Amino acid sequence: DVKEEIFRYVTEGDFKSKTYDELAKFVDKFGARPSGSQVLEDSIDYMIQITKDEDINDIVTEELEVPHWIREQEKITMLEPRSKHIAVLGLGKSVSTPPEGITAEVIVFSNFDQLAETPRQDIDGKIVLFDPIFTTYAETVVYRSQGAVKAAEKGATASLVRSIAPFSINTPHTGSQYYSDSVPKIPTAAITLEDADLIRRFYDRGEKVVLNIKMTSSYETKISRNTIIDYKGIENPEKLVIVSGHIDSWDVGQGAMDDGGGLFISWAAPVILKRLNLRPKRTIRSIFWTAEELGLIGAYDYEERHRNESNNINFIMESDEGTFSPLGLVVAGNEEARCIIAEILKLFESINASTLVESDSPGSDIAVIVKTGIPGASLHNANEKYFWFHHTEGDTMNVESPEELDLCAAFWTAVSYIIADISSDIPR
Amino acid sequence: KSVAKSLNKCQTLLSDDLINEIASYK
């Protein structure tokens, strides 16, 4: 009754609320942990220490170069048709405006097709606002990640995006974006749903909208570290079942949800097993990815560095879309692999966590590894409100629940233990 | 993403021994 033993210990026993309490201590102590910052490195050292405090000492770090983009001053003022402050968050690695800012008329597009159909002379010198209505993150995030390049190709002086979120209390949501070497780099930022919709209404009425955008930032590279913790298997220690989350966060909010929750349930898995003296046949490896937010930098480094031993990865898991009530797993793998995972998930029907969702590319960091053919899964959870808080000042401990984190930690630990202990490898 | 409606072939792909082994963790 291994599964029951784990759940009793985590939800009723000595580990009850431990995941939440440790996450809260961590988040309160360090706050936001942007890529390349000293606070991120200090937080990595802290995670290593609290793991050693649990008498788990098989820990290595791997250094890599990461972006260090520092947000400085950001201000947008609407000058026409009336004066208004526009709440703003620059997008990751955005270039600065000139000191006096960029003052220009706004042209609004709800999709890239409209942009492509519009003559360059109608866009040249203007500020482009993309205002897609949020459907799913996957469908709309391209307007954040590629908007600056698409707008610059048409001669825009800056680009803005309606925050990629389904709900807002005038909250801008930051995020990554990617420049192309072949087009000019223009300043780019997110504005709130409310302000984007206001500008859209003016625009549709034929009223000229003029903004002044002032943004400054700096950019350099620094050294950071992926953290790898092994809880060695007793029969096949070379074979790995990986649980993971990313330790870096955006510079706004505190990264309690994104991805503090995923980080701490992946820390908890070997800790819980060690405390219960449960040691599976294969090794359970916890990885704390660095620099996920600016482009999965840590994951790419790990995949490249460990490529020649990737045949040892039996299964890889990640939680980076919330640690609310667990519902099951989002699984990539062949049919036999999915059948084995589905059979394991049947053990969790009593907590309503037995759903298997099929996906070719679950997770964020682990997608880098899954796309090489390694089976993997991300946590399927009741995250309907995840994008309310994502990449905002609202990503704080108040989003997290001790009871839900206990369920996630127990589920994550039990699933990884069973996969690591059954007689059959997960087939590829 | 789509919720797996059915994994019909699981009974043929997985041995009874493996199914019973997994069930034993409950």
Side-chain angles (χ1 to χ4, degrees):
Chain A
D1 61 349
V2 168
K3 172 242 167 186
E4 292 298 334
E5 183 182 1
I6 291 169
F7 268 76
R8 271 197 304 273
Y9 182 64
V10 176
T11 63
E12 302 169 21
D14 289 349
F15 216 80
K16 181 176 170 58
S17 295
K18 174 80 170 171
T19 311
Y20 179 92
D21 292 342
E22 290 294 336
L23 173 61
K25 276 194 276 184
F26 176 80
V27 167
D28 294 346
K29 184 176 180 65
F30 296 105
R33 307 169 298 282
S35 169
S37 67
Q38 185 57 47
V39 72
L40 173 61
E41 298 313 297
D42 293 344
S43 76
I44 292 170
D45 292 337
Y46 176 90
M47 292 302 296
I48 292 169
Q49 187 56 53
I50 64 170
T51 307
K52 287 180 176 174
D53 291 345
E54 296 285 340
D55 202 23
I56 296 174
N57 295 296
D58 203 336
I59 306 168
V60 297
T61 58
E62 295 177 345
E63 291 190 349
L64 59 140
E65 191 173 273
V66 300
H68 186 40
W69 178 79
I70 304 170
R71 183 191 313 279
E72 295 169 356
Q73 302 299 314
E74 295 178 334
K75 184 178 182 185
I76 300 182
T77 308
M78 186 164 72
L79 305 174
E80 297 181 41
R82 66 175 168 89
S83 178
K84 184 185 185 299
H85 168 72
I86 303 288
V88 59
L89 275 178
L91 302 181
K93 294 171 73 172
S94 174
V95 295
S96 300
T97 62
E100 70 278 14
I102 291 171
T103 300
E105 183 178 349
V106 180
I107 185 167
V108 186
F109 299 104
S110 57
N111 58 58
F112 288 147
D113 289 340
Q114 291 174 356
L115 177 84
E117 291 162 3
T118 304
R120 180 184 173 95
Q121 63 266 27
D122 292 347
I123 302 171
D124 199 34
K126 292 181 178 172
I127 296 166
V128 167
L129 167 62
F130 294 104
D131 70 340
I133 303 300
F134 184 92
T135 50
T136 65
Y137 188 68
E139 272 187 2
T140 47
V141 73
V142 291
Y143 294 97
R144 188 193 75 208
S145 60
Q146 300 173 28
V149 167
K150 299 276 190 186
E153 284 174 344
K154 290 276 195 168
T157 55
S159 74
L160 301 174
V161 65
R162 184 183 193 266
S163 287
I164 306 304
F167 176 80
S168 175
I169 309 178
N170 210 43
T171 313
H173 296 237
T174 190
S176 57
Q177 62 88 35
Y178 303 98
Y179 286 126
S180 164
D181 289 336
S182 60
V183 296
K185 295 179 172 63
I186 59 173
T188 184
I191 62 174
T192 68
L193 274 56
E194 290 88 340
D195 283 335
D197 293 349
L198 171 70
I199 292 170
R200 162 62 77 175
R201 289 194 297 276
F202 282 134
Y203 184 79
D204 284 349
R205 291 181 199 126
E207 296 185 64
K208 183 178 178 182
V209 179
V210 176
L211 302 180
N212 174 260
I213 303 175
K214 287 180 180 167
M215 292 171 55
T216 57
S217 59
S218 64
Y219 178 73
E220 58 187 337
T221 58
K222 293 276 191 178
I223 299 298
S224 185
R225 294 163 288 168
N226 283 327
T227 306
I228 300 165
I229 297 165
D230 280 354
Y231 184 61
K232 291 291 188 189
I234 48 175
E235 286 190 15
N236 306 102
E238 77 286 359
K239 293 184 178 178
L240 304 173
V241 173
I242 296 173
V243 290
S244 66
H246 68 85
I247 189 167
D248 67 302
S249 75
W250 277 104
D251 55 341
V252 293
Q254 295 167 27
M257 180 191 77
D258 182 11
D259 183 26
L263 170 72
F264 269 80
I265 64 169
S266 294
W267 170 80
V271 169
I272 292 164
L273 295 176
K274 176 85 166 45
R275 285 181 173 213
L276 293 174
N277 197 27
L278 290 168
R279 196 169 282 274
K281 295 184 180 74
R282 301 171 188 80
T283 292
I284 289 185
R285 170 170 289 184
S286 295
I287 301 180
F288 309 151
W289 310 106
T290 194
E292 187 271 348
E293 295 293 7
L294 286 167
L296 318 178
I297 313 297
Y300 280 111
D301 183 84
Y302 182 90
E303 192 280 324
E304 189 176 341
R305 196 186 292 245
H306 294 270
R307 191 172 294 165
N308 63 356
E309 55 195 90
S310 65
N311 58 316
N312 284 332
I313 303 177
N314 186 40
F315 199 69
I316 186 163
M317 295 159 60
E318 176 183 28
S319 173
D320 188 22
E321 290 175 42
T323 45
F324 305 98
S325 291
L327 299 174
L329 292 174
V330 183
V331 182
N334 66 24
E335 189 161 23
E336 189 180 355
R338 294 201 306 271
C339 285
I340 293 174
I341 301 302
E343 207 61 39
I344 292 170
L345 289 176
K346 286 181 182 175
L347 302 173
F348 301 94
E349 285 173 347
S350 62
I351 62 156
N352 194 30
S354 58
T355 299
L356 186 150
V357 181
E358 296 176 1
S359 170
D360 292 334
S361 184
S364 50
D365 282 307
I366 67 165
V368 173
I369 290 160
V370 166
K371 75 180 179 187
T372 69
I374 294 168
S378 63
L379 178 67
H380 179 39
N381 67 107
N383 61 357
E384 295 85 354
K385 294 180 180 174
Y386 181 79
F387 289 107
W388 291 22
F389 307 100
H390 185 241
H391 298 179
T392 74
E393 290 289 359
D395 182 353
T396 66
M397 277 308 292
N398 289 47
V399 181
E400 299 295 313
S401 147
E403 293 79 16
E404 290 178 340
L405 267 173
D406 280 348
L407 286 173
C408 286
F411 176 77
W412 211 231
T413 304
V415 168
S416 58
Y417 175 85
I418 295 166
I419 295 172
D421 196 57
I422 57 175
S423 56
S424 171
D425 285 339
I426 304 297
R428 297 187 182 184
Chain B
K1 292 175 181 175
S2 63
V3 177
K5 294 183 183 68
S6 61
L7 292 164
N8 293 330
K9 293 181 183 169
C10 288
Q11 292 297 328
T12 57
L13 286 172
L14 304 186
S15 68
D16 288 343
D17 285 348
L18 180 57
I19 291 171
N20 291 333
E21 180 191 352
I22 291 170
S24 75
Y25 287 92
K26 188 167 188 177

